[in-house]
Each structure stands twice: as structure tokens, then as C-alpha cells.
Amino acid sequence: MTIADTDTTSALQALTHCLQDHLSSHAIQSPSMLGIHTGGEWVARALQLAIDENMPLGTLDISFYRDDFSRIGMNPEVRPSHIPFEVDDQHIILVDDVLYTGRTIRAALNEIFAYGRPASVILAVLIERDGRQLPICADCVGNRVALDNNQQIKLSGPEPLMLEIIETS
Amino acid sequence: MSSIQLTPTGKLRHFLTIEGLPRDMLVSILDTAESLTSVKDRSIKKVPLLRGKTVANLFFEPSTRTRTTFELAAKRLSADVLNIAMSTSATTKGESLLDTLRNLEAMHVDMFVVRHAQSGAAHFIAQQVAPHVSIVNAGDGRHAHPTQAMLDVFTIRRHKPDFGGLTVAIVGDIRHSRVARSQIHALNTLLTGEVRVIAPQTLLPADVETLGVKVFHSLDEGLRDVDVIIMLRLQRERMQGGRLPSEHEYYQQYGMTTERLAIAKPDAMIMHPGPINRGVEMSSSVADSPQSVILEQVSHGIAIRMAVMSMAMQHNQPDKAPQAAT
């Protein structure tokens, strides 16, 4: 089932506004952004264009920090994380497409701390769905959906960004 | 001989020899190593892939470079590491190799990295260990040194990724070299255009042609149109049998000099597994030339060993499709 394009666009707009409000209400100047490979990268790029084209933007591949590594093995195509700024004392906007169990974000936080000690980390996600398994919640959300256990929501992109609900068996 | 290296589903269980491993497996090791090279650029040079695992380095033969890079690789993967120099340990007190292994297994060691002077030692150990334990061969006799060969092809791939178009020459003591044997298998499995060996007859194994190489006895002839030159160490300790008149004469005929390097392609890479005997295998000007990638090989050794260890540690896990963990 494809979600209408307009919903993807409006989720992105809602996320942009939430993030702008959050930055100004917390008086955060010159933050940097990290998108989680791959969907988070696309969303982060769109946010960068909407908020500040000059905002430093990097990518995180969290494969080495996954807690299910020993069960499912490693994807040999892991791409190295690319962080083009100093993490120490930086305000970082961490971006992902879907927040579900919270395990990816746990892994991403560990990965960020392998590079340094940020001043703060703000979590921004395009879609938040139910099913959290860890005490993690987003600071900014584009849209919330409730799905059945056998459903997945997936972002395809980068051009155009398109959300899709997939039935799994 | 290699079938015990893979699980029934084709995953890496032990890493004993390149021989018999499918091309896909070698490419997968190279790709994994490529991703792991970035770990050295972090302020905390560690990833948690082997957290909670214990790796024992069992070195029955002295080694500095190989042992330290294995140790560093295991530590960067967050494993606990035991270094056991077997010549000073219980084996000299009469404990058999198998007893030593059983004792280490009882300490819940998950992986043994084995270096031994006897060909087939790592394979023998792999047949004896408990099902959850993996063995990585860090060099056995004249047989194999598979992680060295993988770091060599990794270094080549980083500079010249199209193996089909490459001519690679291996120069020196092929006969006594486990490194050369593993390199030849790796290069041929990766479908290298042409693999040459350049050596005097006395330093070639009897069956050398069956390995799929072109044999040259003259260095000047063998170097023509070559893209990659791998110099082997002249193993002084193995030169007692009168196979060579002298080191000096060897250098005259097979030593790499700036003049000889010019015979190969202008961008030819020069490699050496170390340690170099300067003035025997190559001149200092060659070893330190811009075409030399010898120190790069050492760094790549860490990434390759991380890749092999993390892949082998996945073997005892049930096959499960990756699931979304967002």
C-alpha cells in the first residue's frame, strides 16, 4: 500500500517546522546533522535544504553497533560512517526515516560517542510508529502511524521520497 | 582439505587456507575489510563486534608483525585477547598440544589464531576443537598464510581494482614460502589476468606449474609489462641446504633495484610481506620509493584480520533473515 505523495511531503514539512521551533526554543546555534544510512540520509538532506544549506551533514552506518549482529551477521557492504565535523561539543541533529524499536538509535548514539562527546543530540524522525523496545523518544516527528505487527513502513528515495506500507508474513 | 572451513550454509567457520574458498567469499572478506578500515579514524578505535568473545593467539613460531596485527585487530573488535608464546608454555613441560587446547577451551576461548612450523597444524587443530570454536591460520609451515595473501590482494585492489587486466609477478623463494602459495591461490581465485613466478630453479617447488602460474628464471624477462611486483623474503634460516651460492649473488640476479623496477610498467606497485632484508631482496631506494606499498600492507593487515575474525565468529549463529530494527 502506497501512502499518498502529499503525506510524505506534509510529514517532511511538519518535521522541518518542529525542528526549526526546537532549535530556536533551545537557542541552538549552528548545529550539525547526521543521517542514518540510508533512509535517514535522504531525510537529513531534505531537512538541510529546507533549514540551512550550509549546515554540516554527515552519514552514520550503524552496522558495527547493531545489537543483533551476532544473530544475523554482518552486511559486508557496510559503508564507513562519514562525519565531516568535530563531534566534541557540537549540537547534533540525528535523523532517521522511521523510529520503531529504538535499537537503531541506541546503536547510532554509541557510534557517535566513538567519535567524541557532543554537546547535545536531537532526534528527528520522519515517521514514528508504535513498538518501542527501548526508552527512546524523538524530539521531532513528521508523522505518527499505528501499524500491525505484520506491517512495515518503508521510505524509498532519494528522489522522490516515498513512504510505503508493506505487509510482511 | 578446505571443506571444514565453511558451514553447511556456506558461512566462514575456520580460515585455514585460500585453496577451495569460492570467489564470493574472498570478495566478501575484502568488502568487509574495506568497511572496517574506517575504524582507525575514530577517536575511539573500537567497534563492539566481538565484545564478550575471547581470542587466543597461539604462536608456536616467533612472529612480531603477524601476532601484533592479529592482537590489534581483535582488540579493535572489542574481544579479549590472550597471547600465548607456546615455546615458553606448558608444551615445553611435556603437555601435549591437545591437552593445551582442551585447557584453553575450558577457559571458554572462542577463537584460536595459530602459527606453527608444521604444515597442516591449523587444520589439525580445527578438526579437534569444540563446535563453537573457530581457528584462524596465521601461517603453517610451507603450506599457507591466508590472511597475508588476503591483505596483499586487498592492497592491490585498492590501487588496481580490475584483477582481470593485471599481470602480477611473485619474485624469490617460492619453494619455502607459504605466503607465495596463498597469494597464488588468492590471485587465481580472483581471476587475475596473469600470475608469474620469478625464481631460480632451486627455489621453485617441483609442481609449480600446476598452481596456475607462468614461470620465469630471469628477473629482467619476467618483469616486462608487470603491474604488481611481490618480492618474497629470502629465508636465511632455510638457506642451509646449498640452494644458493650466496646472498650477494642472489641480489645480483634477483634483487630489485631502481634500474630493474623500470622494466615493469611505470606505475607498477612493489610489495613485500616483511621483514625486508635490504640489499638482499631489494635495494633501500626501491623499498622506500613512491611505488612501494609495503607499509600500507601492514595497515591493511589489521583490517583484513578484523574482517576474517568477525566473519568467522558468526558461524555458530542460526541463519536468520535480517529484520528491520528501526
Side-chain angles (χ1 to χ4, degrees):
Chain A
M1 177 171 80
T2 308
I3 298 176
D5 298 0
T6 49
D7 290 345
T8 308
T9 313
S10 65
L12 193 59
Q13 278 170 355
L15 180 60
T16 307
H17 291 143
C18 172
L19 198 52
Q20 282 166 329
D21 290 349
H22 186 97
L23 292 175
S24 68
S25 67
H26 289 74
I28 292 171
Q29 317 242 307
S30 51
S32 300
M33 195 148 54
L34 285 174
I36 297 174
H37 181 69
T38 49
E41 273 179 78
W42 302 332
V43 177
R45 175 71 183 139
L47 288 171
Q48 183 199 34
L49 287 175
I51 295 172
D52 174 7
E53 269 198 65
N54 297 317
M55 192 193 307
L57 172 62
T59 61
L60 279 186
D61 189 316
I62 53 100
S63 304
F64 298 140
Y65 287 85
R66 287 180 69 121
D67 56 8
D68 51 3
F69 158 75
S70 62
R71 278 190 290 156
I72 64 169
M74 185 155 53
N75 163 18
E77 313 268 294
V78 180
R79 301 187 338 171
S81 294
H82 174 64
I83 305 185
F85 49 83
E86 283 293 318
V87 166
D88 278 330
D89 302 322
Q90 184 63 235
H91 293 281
I92 292 175
I93 305 165
L94 177 61
V95 183
D96 205 0
D97 48 359
V98 180
L99 174 60
Y100 177 24
T101 62
R103 290 174 191 269
T104 298
I105 303 304
R106 199 271 320 161
L109 289 170
N110 283 1
E111 170 114 16
I112 290 171
F113 277 79
Y115 288 87
R117 181 181 187 276
S120 70
V121 179
I122 300 153
L123 179 57
V125 296
L126 188 61
I127 297 293
E128 182 186 273
R129 66 164 289 186
D130 49 337
R132 212 79 65 250
Q133 294 166 356
L134 295 173
I136 281 173
C137 79
D139 298 289
C140 286
V141 172
N143 197 2
R144 291 183 171 80
V145 293
L147 296 174
D148 293 336
N149 282 342
N150 63 345
Q151 290 181 312
Q152 263 188 38
I153 186 160
K154 208 174 165 294
L155 181 69
S156 59
E159 201 51 58
L161 286 177
M162 183 96 75
L163 283 163
E164 195 180 356
I165 291 175
I166 301 166
E167 306 282 334
T168 56
S169 49
Chain B
M1 166 155 188
S2 59
S3 58
I4 70 163
Q5 296 194 99
L6 300 177
T7 65
T9 55
K11 282 189 188 170
L12 195 65
R13 155 103 207 259
H14 304 294
F15 192 58
L16 307 173
T17 173
I18 306 279
E19 205 178 349
L21 286 180
R23 183 168 176 272
D24 287 356
M25 175 60 74
L26 300 196
V27 171
S28 178
I29 292 171
L30 296 174
D31 290 344
T32 305
E34 189 67 54
S35 340
L36 287 164
T37 51
S38 68
V39 173
K40 67 176 190 312
D41 304 325
R42 301 163 184 233
S43 63
I44 297 173
K45 296 175 181 50
K46 253 184 201 302
V47 288
L49 292 176
L50 293 192
R51 199 171 51 170
K53 304 285 187 190
T54 305
V55 176
N57 283 326
L58 299 186
F59 278 64
F60 296 87
E61 239 187 21
S63 154
T64 309
R65 196 180 342 258
T66 303
R67 191 188 56 71
T68 47
T69 50
F70 263 110
E71 180 178 354
L72 206 49
K75 287 179 168 170
R76 291 203 174 150
L77 293 169
S78 308
D80 297 313
V81 184
L82 298 171
N83 286 312
I84 304 169
M86 295 304 286
S87 54
T88 59
S89 79
T91 48
T92 54
K93 298 178 198 155
E95 187 179 67
S96 81
L97 173 59
L98 279 179
D99 284 334
T100 307
L101 282 176
R102 295 284 172 259
N103 276 281
L104 288 164
E105 270 180 13
M107 297 176 207
H108 303 286
V109 170
D110 300 285
M111 175 179 283
F112 294 110
V113 177
V114 180
R115 155 75 60 102
H116 201 289
Q118 207 81 48
S119 298
H123 189 264
F124 170 76
I125 292 171
Q127 286 171 318
Q128 311 296 327
V129 291
H132 71 278
V133 177
S134 288
I135 305 298
V136 176
N137 185 3
D140 62 327
R142 297 183 190 181
H143 171 241
H145 193 351
T147 56
Q148 175 70 44
M150 288 310 293
L151 75 89
D152 293 332
V153 292
F154 183 77
T155 306
I156 295 171
R157 191 176 81 157
R158 282 204 131 196
H159 291 270
K160 298 171 192 272
D162 174 23
F163 281 90
L166 292 185
T167 301
V168 179
I170 306 174
V171 184
D173 183 3
I174 315 287
R175 185 188 182 99
H176 299 99
S177 175
R178 55 194 173 209
V179 173
R181 228 169 281 266
S182 289
Q183 284 166 340
I184 292 167
H185 287 304
L187 288 165
N188 282 330
T189 306
L190 292 169
L191 310 175
T192 304
E194 186 175 311
V195 183
R196 299 179 180 178
V197 295
I198 309 175
Q201 193 65 49
T202 50
L203 294 183
L204 286 171
D207 59 344
V208 63
E209 273 99 352
T210 63
L211 295 171
V213 294
K214 237 172 129 173
V215 179
F216 290 81
H217 297 303
S218 151
L219 183 56
D220 291 359
E221 278 173 35
L223 286 178
R224 247 170 242 139
D225 301 319
V226 160
D227 301 278
V228 180
I229 306 161
I230 303 177
M231 305 300 294
L232 297 173
R233 188 168 71 91
L234 190 67
Q235 310 202 27
R236 288 171 162 157
E237 62 273 24
R238 291 189 179 140
M239 280 296 132
Q240 313 303 336
R243 294 191 180 276
L244 281 181
S246 74
E247 282 178 359
H248 178 70
E249 193 159 318
Y250 179 83
Y251 184 67
Q252 293 300 316
Q253 285 192 47
Y254 293 98
M256 186 59 63
T257 58
T258 310
E259 297 74 46
R260 283 191 163 135
L261 185 53
I263 301 170
K265 285 194 181 162
D267 66 341
M269 301 160 61
I270 184 114
M271 303 172 64
H272 192 295
I276 310 173
N277 299 310
R278 288 173 188 256
V280 179
E281 297 115 27
M282 62 173 75
S283 67
S284 275
S285 58
V286 170
D288 305 327
S289 75
Q291 281 163 267
S292 158
V293 293
I294 295 169
L295 290 176
E296 252 179 73
Q297 288 174 267
V298 179
S299 312
H300 293 162
I302 300 171
I304 281 290
R305 285 163 183 141
M306 287 170 77
V308 167
M309 287 196 275
S310 54
M311 288 169 73
M313 273 291 96
Q314 293 164 28
H315 79 269
N316 53 359
Q317 306 301 334
D319 284 301
K320 239 174 101 175
Q323 46 175 263
T326 46

